[in-house]
Amino acid sequence: MNHLDYLIPFAKNCDLEQLKALVSQREGHWEHKGSLEYKEALEADLSSPEQLWSSIEKLIPWKKGPFEFESGTLDAEWRSDFKWNRFKEHLGNLEGKTVLDVGCNNGYFMFEMAKLNPKLVLGIDPIPRCQAQFKLLNKVFKEDALRFELLGVEHCKHFHSMFDLILFMGIIYHHRHPLEQLIDLREALTPGGEIILETIGIPGEESYALFPEDRYAGMKNIYFIPTLSCTVNWMKKAKFINIEVIADTDMTEEEQRSTKWNPENFKTLKDSLDPNDPSKTIEGHPAPRRFLIKGTRKP
Ligand SMILES: C[S@@+](CC[C@H](N)C(=O)[O-])C[C@H]1O[C@@H](n2cnc3c(N)ncnc32)[C@H](O)[C@@H]1O
């Protein structure tokens, strides 16, 4: 049995054979990379607190959290619960719904949404460490509605009118075709389905995007960093309706910082801002804000 068989009920809504080929190719890559530490971490008996925490340590850095275990709290770089609290009231009723989380990292929001009884939450992220972290977490939390695949946003064109809700958070500025992505995601939604877009952005009233030559806030592979009105206009041009700005917030060291499970040698917010002027990045660009916007595919 191919593990994508859970998509058979959705065979009309996805290119199942292409997805199977992509996933098996990528799973092979994970094995090939010889991620021995990951394997050991996942094969351990996680019901023993010692082995659980030793496995967690093997999968450092933990970027998203916190997660509560009987034996303690796994505190990650990000307090993802802050972001969750900003958008959870905007999700509607997820009972029996089908959800896609694009760039889900270790699945923090998937585990939160699992408590709302969805039919399926598919998380995709191309990074093997994220998959290993998700597998470890789900060995402990055992949420049957959750699935993780090593896919990227560029593979979302293989889904058609399938998801009632898509989370698309922290991704769009890393890709060169923001509108193409929004259009692919619109087509992956059921008519009337909703998207939650979250992105870093720059301050400013007008509709424009910064296009840095090199890094932005220390990050590589950066393309367009939009103002809020530019982000809304992208959503409009991608033909979303009922566009609603949920939040426009500062980044804070309370929300993003080093912890035991994301140690100092991994960079965090304070390393990305000018130490003498936090309104600027270390490269001298306007410091990032975070925008959260909701939109609907036309019914
Ligand atoms: C800034 S994090 C955002 C994580 C999460 N969505 C959140 O909002 O907290 C970006 C995530 O995108 C993932 N990623 C990298 N390349 C990607 C791609 N091509 N498609 C989708 N996700 C990607 C990274 O592994 C990382 O987990």
Side-chain angles (χ1 to χ4, degrees), residues 40-41 44-58 69-72 136 260-261:
E40 279 171 20
D45 170 13
L46 303 181
S47 62
S48 134
E50 293 73 34
Q51 293 199 39
L52 171 66
W53 290 98
S54 147
S55 288
I56 287 172
E57 192 160 6
K58 289 194 176 96
F69 300 98
E70 278 171 18
S71 51
L136 178 144
K260 179 174 177 198
W261 306 106

Side-chain angles (χ1 to χ4, degrees), residues 62-67 74-88 104-110 112 169 198 254-257 292:
W62 289 80
K63 304 301 261 180
K64 312 292 168 182
F67 293 97
L74 167 49
D75 192 13
E77 176 189 14
W78 281 89
R79 288 288 306 267
S80 300
D81 49 330
F82 287 18
K83 198 192 281 191
W84 172 248
N85 286 334
R86 287 199 282 272
F87 73 85
K88 69 178 180 196
C104 61
N105 199 271
N106 58 27
Y108 180 86
F109 300 119
M110 298 166 67
E112 288 298 332
M169 305 197 297
E198 198 252 8
E254 216 191 335
E255 187 161 351
Q256 187 192 8
R257 71 278 192 262
L292 252 172

Side-chain angles (χ1 to χ4, degrees), residues 2-146:
N2 182 299
H3 78 277
L4 280 194
D5 282 354
Y6 67 88
L7 287 180
I8 289 174
F10 302 96
K12 284 197 184 131
N13 302 96
C14 61
D15 306 325
L16 196 47
E17 292 313 313
Q18 270 117 310
L19 289 168
K20 280 184 179 173
L22 280 164
V23 165
S24 54
Q25 194 186 353
R26 287 167 165 252
E27 293 281 340
H29 184 63
W30 195 76
E31 297 288 319
H32 177 70
K33 274 199 161 169
S35 308
L36 212 53
E37 287 245 289
Y38 297 172
K39 281 196 184 157
E40 279 171 20
L42 294 171
E43 279 164 11
D45 170 13
L46 303 181
S47 62
S48 134
E50 293 73 34
Q51 293 199 39
L52 171 66
W53 290 98
S54 147
S55 288
I56 287 172
E57 192 160 6
K58 289 194 176 96
L59 300 182
I60 279 176
W62 289 80
K63 304 301 261 180
K64 312 292 168 182
F67 293 97
E68 296 296 337
F69 300 98
E70 278 171 18
S71 51
T73 303
L74 167 49
D75 192 13
E77 176 189 14
W78 281 89
R79 288 288 306 267
S80 300
D81 49 330
F82 287 18
K83 198 192 281 191
W84 172 248
N85 286 334
R86 287 199 282 272
F87 73 85
K88 69 178 180 196
E89 303 300 333
H90 296 265
L91 293 181
N93 180 1
L94 289 192
E95 179 105 33
K97 296 285 172 64
T98 304
V99 181
L100 176 66
D101 186 352
V102 181
C104 61
N105 199 271
N106 58 27
Y108 180 86
F109 300 119
M110 298 166 67
F111 287 99
E112 288 298 332
M113 289 188 288
K115 296 173 196 160
L116 306 174
N117 294 324
K119 182 195 227 164
L120 168 70
V121 180
L122 172 59
I124 60 172
D125 200 297
I127 305 299
R129 195 189 59 253
C130 295
Q131 188 188 40
Q133 292 183 349
F134 170 82
K135 284 185 174 178
L136 178 144
L137 293 165
N138 214 18
K139 262 185 98 173
V140 178
F141 298 127
K142 300 185 175 46
E143 294 288 0
D144 291 339
L146 304 187

Side-chain angles (χ1 to χ4, degrees), residues 160-220:
H160 317 286
S161 302
M162 175 161 162
F163 300 102
D164 301 297
L165 171 71
I166 294 180
L167 302 187
F168 184 42
M169 305 197 297
I171 316 285
I172 200 163
Y173 44 91
H174 281 304
H175 291 267
R176 65 189 81 185
H177 298 302
L179 277 187
E180 199 175 289
Q181 292 187 352
L182 287 173
I183 292 165
D184 285 350
L185 294 177
R186 181 196 71 206
E187 292 302 303
L189 281 172
T190 54
E194 293 178 329
I195 186 168
I196 305 266
L197 166 68
E198 198 252 8
T199 180
I200 56 170
I202 51 171
E205 294 302 313
E206 285 183 61
S207 176
Y208 50 71
L210 178 75
F211 189 76
E213 184 181 352
D214 191 15
R215 292 184 183 226
Y216 175 79
M219 290 184 283
K220 290 186 278 187

